């Protein structure tokens, strides 16, 4: 992976991460409060699912 691909991917992640709080700050805040109530194991599970989904996407389309 060259530098342009890395920085392009990082930029896309930042755009996608910023969409929800920009479009619906109240919804984002409520979601964040619910996330704070989850146990560590639950958060790790969602993190693992996110990692696996990202790796699958890279494998299928990369």
């Amino acid at each position: 992976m060259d530098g342009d691909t890395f920085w392009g991917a990082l930029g896309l992640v930042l755009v996608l991460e910023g969409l929800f709080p920009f479009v619906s700050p109240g919804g984002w805040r409520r979601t964040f409060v619910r996330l704070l109530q989850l146990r560590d194991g639950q958060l790790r599970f969602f993190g693992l699912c996110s990692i696996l989904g990202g790796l699958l996407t890279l494998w299928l389309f990369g």
Side-chain angles (χ1 to χ4, degrees), residues 25-59:
W28 182 84
R29 190 174 287 113
R30 287 188 299 274
T31 300
F32 203 83
V33 168
R34 283 190 224 128
L35 284 172
L36 290 172
Q37 296 170 352
L38 294 176
R39 295 186 310 270
D40 286 351
Q42 292 171 307
L43 288 173
R44 284 191 178 104
F45 175 75
F46 286 120
L48 178 62
C49 290
S50 180
I51 291 168
L52 293 176
L55 288 172
L56 180 65
T57 301
L58 287 172
W59 181 67

Side-chain angles (χ1 to χ4, degrees), residues 8-31:
L10 181 61
L12 184 58
V13 166
L14 291 173
V15 168
L16 292 175
E17 288 288 328
L19 280 175
F20 191 40
F22 179 75
V23 172
S24 177
W28 182 84
R29 190 174 287 113
R30 287 188 299 274
T31 300

Side-chain angles (χ1 to χ4, degrees), residues 5 21 32 60:
T5 302
F32 203 83
L60 289 173

